[in-house]
Amino acid sequence: IVMTQSPATLSVSPGERATLSCRASQSVGSNLAWYQQKPGQAPRLLISGASTRATGIPARFSGSGSGTEFTLTISSVQSEDFAVYYCQQYNNWPQTFGPGTKADIK
Amino acid sequence: QVQLVQSGGEMKKPGASVQVSCTASGYRFNSYGINWVRQAPGQGLEWMGWISPYNGNTYYAQKLQGRVTMTTDKSTSTAYMELRRLTSDDTAVYYCARQTGVDVVVVAARVFDYWGQGTLVTVSS
């Protein structure tokens, strides 16, 4: 399954809402995860099951969607949220990652 | 708390092999699968393969078949990834990542919930 993400880069100002999209080449149900990666750090799990936040993830992060279209929303972007975000489908084995969306400061 | 601690960076010449280790703590090692993911400079995440510490079952990415071997040592809660016949294209940060279950048959077990800090492998003549 091929995963695509848009936009490649998202420029946002602190406090703004950010919407990141992920599309699968075929249905993955709700078996979609989102990861955040900051420079020089390992990825961190944000969301699994398309909409379930991982332990310790702030409520400003939310996920939605099913089938082939998914969205990660950051309701009010904080300075620590500027990072690259990857989606991953795990419905089919082996699982596959999207190319990432970089959220940077506007 | 769950921790995955990887071995240090490596510099290798083309044609050589590299082994990266990943030592787990804070949980029952046998009960969660370990995946290896790499990231070339400035690039995205590439899944390399999976191993079950419970029974040693493995599954490798097709493009790496024949060059990669993943093993575990249950006595030290350590996973290993060996990559052979290195080329410059193998220059990357290599991560181990725990998945949320031991096997891959259960779909919900395939999420990567904890990651190691990464190991930079540089291949250069």
Side-chain angles (χ1 to χ4, degrees):
Chain A
I1 295 178
V2 177
M3 306 300 291
T4 56
Q5 292 185 241
S6 61
T9 302
L10 181 65
S11 296
V12 292
S13 299
E16 285 186 343
R17 183 183 188 88
T19 302
L20 291 70
S21 296
C22 173
R23 176 177 290 180
S25 60
Q26 63 188 75
S27 178
V28 298
S30 295
N31 297 311
L32 191 286
W34 290 94
Y35 300 86
Q36 176 195 64
Q37 186 180 32
K38 298 179 182 179
Q41 295 186 18
R44 175 175 73 148
L45 176 66
L46 294 178
I47 284 173
S48 63
S51 62
T52 302
R53 280 190 303 277
T55 303
I57 301 303
R60 64 180 181 272
F61 291 92
S62 63
S64 63
S66 65
T68 61
E69 302 281 343
F70 300 89
T71 300
L72 175 69
T73 302
I74 311 173
S75 59
S76 176
V77 174
Q78 306 298 300
S79 58
E80 61 267 29
D81 300 337
F82 293 103
V84 179
Y85 293 84
Y86 295 95
C87 62
Q88 175 206 38
Q89 71 78 23
Y90 53 94
N91 189 66
N92 285 32
W93 183 255
Q95 43 67 48
T96 46
F97 290 100
T101 289
K102 181 178 181 181
D104 66 13
I105 300 174
K106 191 173 185 179
Chain B
Q1 73 281 21
V2 174
Q3 279 193 302
L4 299 173
V5 178
Q6 298 184 222
S7 49
E10 301 265 10
M11 182 86 75
K12 295 292 182 180
K13 293 195 182 301
S17 299
V18 69
Q19 184 181 69
V20 179
S21 67
C22 169
T23 300
S25 61
Y27 72 95
R28 193 170 193 171
F29 184 64
N30 284 4
S31 297
Y32 298 84
I34 293 287
N35 290 263
W36 290 89
V37 177
R38 69 179 179 178
Q39 186 171 39
Q43 303 300 308
L45 303 172
E46 179 187 9
W47 178 80
M48 300 178 66
W50 159 86
I51 184 166
S52 166
Y54 176 74
N55 56 18
N57 285 353
T58 55
Y59 191 102
Y60 303 135
Q62 192 168 10
K63 70 175 285 189
L64 297 173
Q65 291 270 1
R67 285 209 300 138
V68 68
T69 300
M70 296 175 187
T71 57
T72 61
D73 181 343
K74 288 188 271 192
S75 70
T76 59
S77 298
T78 300
Y80 298 92
M81 186 283 299
E82 180 188 38
L83 190 61
R84 300 177 291 279
R85 301 191 300 276
L86 293 168
T87 73
S88 57
D89 289 342
D90 296 315
T91 293
V93 176
Y94 288 74
Y95 295 101
C96 60
R98 190 189 85 160
Q99 63 181 56
T100 49
V102 70
D103 208 339
V104 295
V105 174
V106 177
V107 174
R110 300 172 186 170
V111 177
F112 301 170
D113 59 353
Y114 289 93
W115 296 65
Q117 83 275 19
T119 297
L120 175 61
V121 175
T122 303
V123 183
S124 175
S125 54

